[in-house]
Each structure stands twice: as structure tokens, then as C-alpha cells.
């Protein structure tokens, strides 16, 4: 599983940000050719992003490029960017599975032989995209995640954005459920007030509670807080270890159900504990081979 707790946007027309992106420890970096770049700067940004992919060391961060929508500059973006070996493309304003099919076809036609296949992440930010989320998630084997964009979504709805996010609750739930049904990740919308730490933490906790596996990120100062929310706590890890021990003991005694602190422990609880320990091992929070 690829970690995508944070996916940091870097405007594709900002050489300083593109140069420094690797030092912040984001799980993924999104070199943006879409909304962060004005129409008259698209050509220059495409060249800059291609150059950055070839020359900048982004350390362990996944390299993702947000291309433009199919009805604008997607073809030019794919032709210029795919040969520079990004790990994935973030495809904005995806409305139907055919959009993904078309991008996948263009990517396949551009990839060089022997090149690692470029993954796709579908950004759902329109009412129709939300309505077709599951079909989009299953549209092509390259699709590894659904991401949610609340600003464009609420603009299309004509709904007012609030800090509490009641207006995006149902769309968030659909994105999470559709991604899980298709066996891929879901990534939440960015929190746009970079000076409101408390708000960011609360919004990320809500996203995690709903089932999201990460959050789009717009500023390096947001990374640590988002990681802290998505990382398993020491309390989670201790709980998960106790669950695994309890179920192993029950199994040794011929039972599939255990009891811990008076609560039933069965398969879904064990699966949750295993996920916590898997993530903890991936993050180096517990020793390899423990349990
Ligand atoms: C928000 C702000 C202006 C704040 O500026 P500030 O100046 O206050 O930041 P400071 O913290 O003071 O910066 C301290 C130091 O960090 C450097 N630094 C800052 N940000 C950095 C970064 N991202 N990458 C690398 N470096 C960075 C900076 O250069 C400085 O370096 P230095 O001068 O050397 O000290 C700035 O972060 C920024 O531009 N973010 C990216 C915004 C963006 O990409 N938006 C489009 C994508 S979202 C989108 O499209 C979603 C959606 O699709 C979804 C939907 O639909 O909902 C939609 O449609 O909305
Ligand atoms: Mg958008």
C-alpha cells in the first residue's frame, strides 16, 4: 500500500516551490498544471514541471502531476509529462468512467516501453463526478485513489462552504464508500485556511473518522498536523496488539471469537487491529516482526 496521508500541491509555475517540495516530508507531491496556473502560463508551467520531474530530487515523496481537464489541455500535458516518469497523474473534474478511459488510453499511447506504468488518481469535484464515483473508481486498473475537491463541488452546487462542512458530508461519504468498494484509497479535500491549525486538525479528524486515507494539502505547515491525525497513536497500537494476542489465544483454544475487557473480538475487529499494525510497521512505529 502506498502512503498518501498528505499530498502537497505545488503550483507548476512557481520554480521556488517546485525546487523545495522534496524537503517537507509529504507522502506525495502534486506538481499542478491546472487551477494554480493561469491560462496564459500553461505552456511555460508544463515545461517547468517536466524539467522539475527530470532534475529535482523529491526524495521518497510520490511524484504526481495534476493535468488539465480533457476539454482543455490534457492531451498536451500527457504528451509532455508522461515521458518524464511521474508516479501518477491527478485527473481533475472527472465526471464519468469514460473520462478515465480516455486519459488511460492517452497515457498508454505515450508511455515508453519498459516505463513503470503511470497511475491515475481521479479528482471528483462536480455533482456528476460524485454520482458516478464507483464507476469511475473501477474504470481502469491504473486508478489507485479517488480524491475529493470541495471548492469546485460546492461552487457547482451553489452551496456555501462552511467550516463545519455539513454541505459536503454526503459527497465525502460517497467518495469514501465508492473507493472502498473498488478496493482503492480515498483522499479528502484540502483545508484552505493555512493559519487555522485547530480547524485543520478537526477537519482531518473528521475525514479520518469517515474513512479517508489522506488529505490534499496546500501548505507545508499543514503536513505534520495531518500526519499526526492519520498516524496510529501509541494507544491504538497497544490496543491492536492486545486484540491480536487475544484472538490468537482464542484460536489456539479452538474458538474464532475472543473477549477483551468484556468486549467481543471477532473478524472485523481483528481486521481493524491488523490495519493499525500494518500502518504502524510501515511508519516504523513498531518493530518489524513484532506479533
Ligand atoms: C496557500 C499559500 C498561498 C500560502 O502562502 P504563504 O506565503 O502564506 O505560505 P507560507 O507558509 O508563509 O510559506 C512559507 C514557505 O513555504 C513555501 N510554500 C508555501 N506553500 C508551498 C507549497 N504548496 N509548496 C512548496 N512550498 C510552499 C513558501 O514559498 C515559503 O518559502 P520561503 O519563501 O522559502 O520561506 C501557499 O501555501 C500556496 O500557494 N499553496 C499552494 C496553493 C495551490 O496550489 N492551490 C491549488 C491547489 S488546491 C485545489 O486546486 C483544490 C481544488 O481542486 C479542490 C476543490 O475543488 O476543492 C480546488 O479547485 O480548489
Ligand atoms: Mg478544483
Amino acid at each position: 500500500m502506498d502512503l498518501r496521508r498528505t499530498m502537497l500541491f505545488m503550483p507548476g509555475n512557481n520554480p521556488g516551490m517546485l525546487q523545495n517540495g522534496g524537503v517537507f516530508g509529504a507522502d506525495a507531491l502534486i506538481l499542478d498544471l491546472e487551477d494554480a496556473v493561469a491560462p496564459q502560463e500553461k505552456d511555460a508551467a508544463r515545461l517547468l514541471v517536466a524539467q522539475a520531474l527530470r532534475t529535482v530530487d523529491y526524495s521518497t515523496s510520490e511524484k504526481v502531476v495534476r493535468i488539465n481537464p480533457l476539454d482543455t489541455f490534457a492531451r498536451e500535458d500527457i504528451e509532455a509529462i508522461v515521458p518524464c516518469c511521474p508516479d501518477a497523474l491527478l485527473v481533475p473534474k472527472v465526471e464519468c468512467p469514460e473520462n478515465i478511459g480516455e486519459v488511460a488510453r492517452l497515457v498508454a499511447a505515450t508511455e515508453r516501453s519498459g516505463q513503470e506504468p503511470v497511475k491515475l488518481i481521479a479528482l471528483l469535484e462536480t455533482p456528476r463526478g460524485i454520482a458516478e464515483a464507483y464507476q469511475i473508481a473501477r474504470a481502469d486498473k491504473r486508478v489507485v485513489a479517488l480524491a475529493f475537491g470541495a471548492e469546485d463541488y460546492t461552487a457547482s452546487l451553489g452551496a456555501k462552504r462552511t467550516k463545519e462542512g455539513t454541505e459536503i458530508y454526503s459527497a465525502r461519504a460517497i467518495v469514501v464508500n465508492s473507493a472502498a468498494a473498488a478496493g482503492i484509497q480515498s483522499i479528502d479535500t484540502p483545508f484552505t485556511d493555512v493559519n487555522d491549525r485547530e480547524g485543520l486538525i478537526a477537519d482531518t479528524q473528521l475525514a479520518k473518522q469517515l474513512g479517508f486515507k489522506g488529505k490534499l494539502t496546500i501548505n507545508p505547515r499543514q503536513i505534520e498536523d495531518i500526519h499526526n491525525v492519520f498516524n496510529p497513536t501509541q494507544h491504538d497500537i497497544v490496543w491492536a496488539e492486545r486484540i491480536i494476542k487475544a484472538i490468537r489465544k482464542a484460536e489456539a483454544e479452538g474458538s474464532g471469537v475472543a473477549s477483551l475487557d468484556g468486549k467481543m473480538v471477532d473478524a472485523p475487529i481483528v481486521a481493524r487491529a491488523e490495519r493499525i499494525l500494518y500502518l504502524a510497521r510501515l511508519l516504523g512505529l513498531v518493530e518489524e516482526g513484532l506479533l
Side-chain angles (χ1 to χ4, degrees), residues 34-35 66 93 123 125 152:
E34 199 219 10
D35 279 354
R66 178 161 74 168
K93 305 194 174 70
L123 180 54
E125 42 186 351
D152 275 302

Side-chain angles (χ1 to χ4, degrees), residues 27-237:
D27 289 333
L29 297 167
I30 304 173
L31 294 77
D32 191 13
L33 294 173
E34 199 219 10
D35 279 354
V37 179
Q40 67 276 12
E41 293 190 36
K42 296 283 184 195
D43 291 342
R46 200 178 293 121
L47 290 173
L48 207 55
V49 166
Q51 164 90 350
L53 287 171
R54 287 205 169 96
T55 59
V56 179
D57 178 6
Y58 288 123
S59 183
T60 55
S61 300
E62 181 179 41
K63 294 178 285 180
V64 182
V65 176
R66 178 161 74 168
I67 58 172
N68 286 283
L70 274 168
D71 57 1
T72 62
F73 307 100
R75 284 164 190 77
E76 293 92 323
D77 293 343
I78 289 168
E79 273 168 30
I81 297 303
V82 167
C84 304
C85 301
D87 297 302
L89 299 181
L90 177 64
V91 187
K93 305 194 174 70
V94 177
E95 298 228 286
C96 55
E98 290 76 19
N99 290 164
I100 288 294
E102 177 66 1
V103 170
R105 195 186 58 72
L106 291 166
V107 169
T110 314
E111 274 171 350
R112 298 189 173 146
S113 72
Q115 179 175 346
E116 192 68 30
V118 176
K119 299 167 192 151
L120 299 179
I121 299 172
L123 180 54
L124 308 185
E125 42 186 351
T126 65
R128 184 168 172 205
I130 297 298
E132 302 217 22
Y134 177 61
Q135 288 76 16
I136 291 168
R138 299 205 47 184
D140 193 276
K141 62 179 184 314
R142 290 179 191 264
V143 181
V144 293
L146 296 182
F148 176 51
E151 298 305 332
D152 275 302
Y153 174 69
T154 47
S156 307
L157 280 187
K160 187 170 175 239
R161 276 293 270 130
T162 64
K163 204 163 143 183
E164 302 72 43
T166 40
E167 68 287 354
I168 56 170
Y169 188 83
S170 59
R172 274 173 151 171
I174 289 170
V175 171
V176 169
N177 189 66
S178 304
I184 63 173
Q185 287 178 335
S186 49
I187 312 296
D188 191 37
T189 192
F191 187 80
T192 52
D193 184 347
V194 296
N195 292 321
D196 180 3
R197 271 192 76 190
E198 218 175 280
L200 170 70
I201 292 168
D203 195 52
T204 309
Q205 281 166 340
L206 173 60
K208 180 182 174 182
Q209 183 69 22
L210 286 169
F212 282 102
K213 300 296 177 282
K215 197 160 175 63
L216 297 174
T217 309
I218 57 166
N219 185 280
R221 286 185 277 133
Q222 298 181 316
I223 292 173
E224 193 179 350
D225 286 330
I226 297 177
H227 284 181
N228 285 339
V229 172
F230 282 107
N231 288 352
T233 62
Q234 203 51 40
H235 181 270
D236 295 333
I237 294 169

